């Protein structure tokens, strides 16, 4: 039996993954905001993962209750058309889509594999080094692309620290999920199209399940569904990864 921790485990692909491993008889721990959506048979930890303090509480709770975690799956995300700043002063997309994943990746007691469900290797977007909180020129798409780049660099910096945990970045493709978020008239049609034309969730989770059941041997790997990406792409720049790691450590240390 495995112990699997899933953030965003009460909706979409996270929920489907939770059901899959519960049905196999594994120990499943989901983290989310709404206990009414909890998967029967899975342990549920309520938390607002956009808050650094909440991530720290979740880490302490999991480490105390589950000293041996086999897999951590990072699925939680939320699209915001309008800029939102958390009570801790952090831009909301950066906080939930990246900082939470950073904290959980480094905070849990050495999981065997971490699967970060993101968008590795995408040519669009960049890290706004002089404006990480996107105080100037915010858009939901800009914030999401920056978080995607940040997760690529998170994987690189994590693997560079010589941990035994294998880190997997994966894009599951266009999947028909709830597409949680706050959309305006411009972005709402894209979300609706994804719901309508995306592949079924049960199909979307297949490459994630494959990586969880048979993790790659390398410290870091990246996939678009089953297709492996080369780590020589600009998205996986080591200097940028170390720079972001240091900036992130300073940011979370000040909160």
């Amino acid at each position: 039996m495995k112990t699997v921790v899933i953030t965003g485990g009460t909706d979409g692909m996270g929920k489907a993954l939770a059901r899959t491993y519960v049905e196999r008889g594994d120990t499943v721990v989901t983290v989310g905001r709404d206990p009414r959506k909890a998967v029967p048979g899975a342990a549920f930890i309520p938390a607002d993962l956009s808050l650094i303090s909440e991530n720290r509480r979740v880490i302490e709770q999991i480490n105390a209750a589950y000293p041996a975690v086999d897999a951590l799956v990072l699925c939680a995300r939320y699209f915001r058309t309008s800029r939102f700043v958390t009570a801790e002063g952090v831009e909301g997309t950066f906080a939930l889509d990246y900082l939470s994943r950073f904290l959980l990746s480094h905070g849990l007691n050495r999981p065997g594999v971490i699967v970060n469900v993101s968008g590795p290797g995408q040519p669009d977007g960049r890290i706004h080094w002089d404006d990480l909180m996107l105080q100037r020129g915010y858009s939901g798409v800009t914030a999401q692309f920056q978080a995607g780049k940040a997760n690529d660099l998170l994987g690189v910096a994590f693997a560079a620290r010589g941990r035994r945990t294998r880190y997997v970045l994966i894009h599951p493709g266009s999947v028909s999920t709830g597409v949680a978020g706050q959309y305006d008239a411009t972005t709402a049609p894209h979300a609706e199209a994804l719901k309508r034309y995306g592949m079924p969730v049960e199909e979307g989770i297949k490459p994630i399940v494959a990586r969880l059941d048979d993790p790659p041997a390398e410290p870091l790997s990246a996939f678009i569904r089953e297709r492996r990406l080369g780590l020589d792409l600009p998205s996986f720049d080591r200097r940028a990864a170390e720079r972001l790691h240091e900036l992130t450590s300073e940011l979370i240390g000040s909160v």
Side-chain angles (χ1 to χ4, degrees), residues 219-233:
L220 174 66
S221 56
F223 296 83
I224 297 179
R225 289 193 63 78
E226 294 84 3
R227 178 168 66 87
R228 186 186 286 262
L229 299 177
L231 298 182
D232 55 347
L233 295 172

Side-chain angles (χ1 to χ4, degrees), residues 1-6 21-22 25-30 43 62-63 65-73 108-114 212:
M1 288 180 55
K2 295 180 180 179
T3 297
V4 183
V5 175
I6 305 172
Y21 285 95
V22 166
D26 293 318
T27 298
V28 177
V29 183
T30 60
I62 293 173
N63 283 344
Y66 308 94
V69 171
D70 296 286
L72 167 64
V73 187
L108 289 193
N109 285 335
R110 299 188 301 170
V113 60
I114 297 174
L212 289 169

Side-chain angles (χ1 to χ4, degrees), residues 183-214:
Y183 298 91
D184 62 8
T186 300
T187 54
H190 297 285
E192 289 303 317
L194 186 60
K195 292 179 189 178
R196 184 175 302 174
Y197 301 113
M199 72 184 79
V201 171
E202 292 73 17
E203 184 68 23
I205 67 171
K206 285 182 178 178
I208 301 172
V209 171
R211 301 288 77 80
L212 289 169
D213 290 350
D214 186 20

Side-chain angles (χ1 to χ4, degrees), residues 49-50 76-78 91-101:
L49 292 178
S50 69
R77 66 187 304 175
Y78 190 88
E91 188 275 310
T93 300
F94 192 81
L96 178 61
D97 291 18
Y98 166 65
L99 275 188
S100 171
R101 298 178 185 220

Side-chain angles (χ1 to χ4, degrees), residues 98-233:
Y98 166 65
L99 275 188
S100 171
R101 298 178 185 220
F102 179 98
L103 287 158
L104 288 160
S105 294
H106 289 281
L108 289 193
N109 285 335
R110 299 188 301 170
V113 60
I114 297 174
V115 175
N116 188 330
V117 182
S118 54
Q122 295 297 319
D124 298 316
R126 63 184 179 89
I127 302 295
H128 297 254
W129 296 108
D130 60 343
D131 186 22
L132 286 176
M133 299 299 107
L134 299 179
Q135 294 178 328
R136 303 181 297 276
Y138 175 91
S139 77
V141 173
T142 298
Q144 197 169 58
F145 276 143
Q146 174 172 255
K149 292 293 184 184
N151 278 296
D152 283 355
L153 299 179
L154 163 58
V156 173
F158 185 95
R161 275 151 179 77
R163 300 171 182 265
R164 71 171 184 86
T165 301
R166 285 163 287 181
Y167 209 98
V168 181
L169 299 158
I170 190 165
H171 188 325
S174 297
V175 181
S176 178
T177 68
V179 198
Q182 171 256 322
Y183 298 91
D184 62 8
T186 300
T187 54
H190 297 285
E192 289 303 317
L194 186 60
K195 292 179 189 178
R196 184 175 302 174
Y197 301 113
M199 72 184 79
V201 171
E202 292 73 17
E203 184 68 23
I205 67 171
K206 285 182 178 178
I208 301 172
V209 171
R211 301 288 77 80
L212 289 169
D213 290 350
D214 186 20
E218 300 87 349
L220 174 66
S221 56
F223 296 83
I224 297 179
R225 289 193 63 78
E226 294 84 3
R227 178 168 66 87
R228 186 186 286 262
L229 299 177
L231 298 182
D232 55 347
L233 295 172

